[in-house]
């Protein structure tokens, strides 16, 4: 993992927090969790090495905040539907 998400956390499927420059012996299953109330884009970068072959990749996520909200209560996190 060559860069971490800025607006959330990345964990392994076993629940361990992923750290910068962490390596894995086999392709991991990763779970992204956005920070509470965050919506927008986020992502992380990774590098794959197999023998002499090195490649890089990026994961870009679009987080849509679908938390329930109160429109008449003027919750600042709510937007009325068009």
């Amino acid at each position: 993992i060559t860069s971490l998400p800025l607006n959330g956390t990345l964990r392994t499927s076993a629940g361990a927090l992923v750290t910068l420059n962490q390596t894995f012996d086999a392709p991991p299953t990763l779970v992204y969790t956005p920070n509470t109330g965050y919506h927008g884009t986020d992502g992380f970068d990774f590098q794959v090495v197999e023998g002499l072959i090195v490649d890089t990749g990026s994961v870009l996520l679009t987080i849509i905040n679908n938390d329930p909200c109160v429109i008449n209560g003027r919750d600042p996190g709510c937007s009325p539907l068009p």
Side-chain angles (χ1 to χ4, degrees):
I1 302 298
T2 57
S3 74
L4 294 170
L6 297 176
N7 298 294
T9 57
L10 199 56
R11 294 184 179 276
T12 66
S13 57
L17 189 63
V18 174
T19 59
L20 187 62
N21 298 319
Q22 183 169 350
T23 60
F24 300 93
D25 292 330
T29 298
L30 300 176
V31 178
Y32 170 85
T33 304
N35 293 337
T36 302
Y38 178 75
H39 59 279
T41 58
D42 204 0
F44 59 94
D45 299 316
F46 60 93
Q47 183 179 60
V48 178
V49 179
E50 183 154 348
L52 298 175
I53 300 170
V54 178
D55 204 356
T56 59
S58 297
V59 175
L60 179 62
L61 305 161
T62 300
I63 296 87
I64 300 171
N65 185 353
N66 286 330
D67 291 339
C69 63
V70 179
I71 292 174
N72 290 337
R74 299 179 190 210
D75 182 338
C78 294
S79 297
L81 296 174

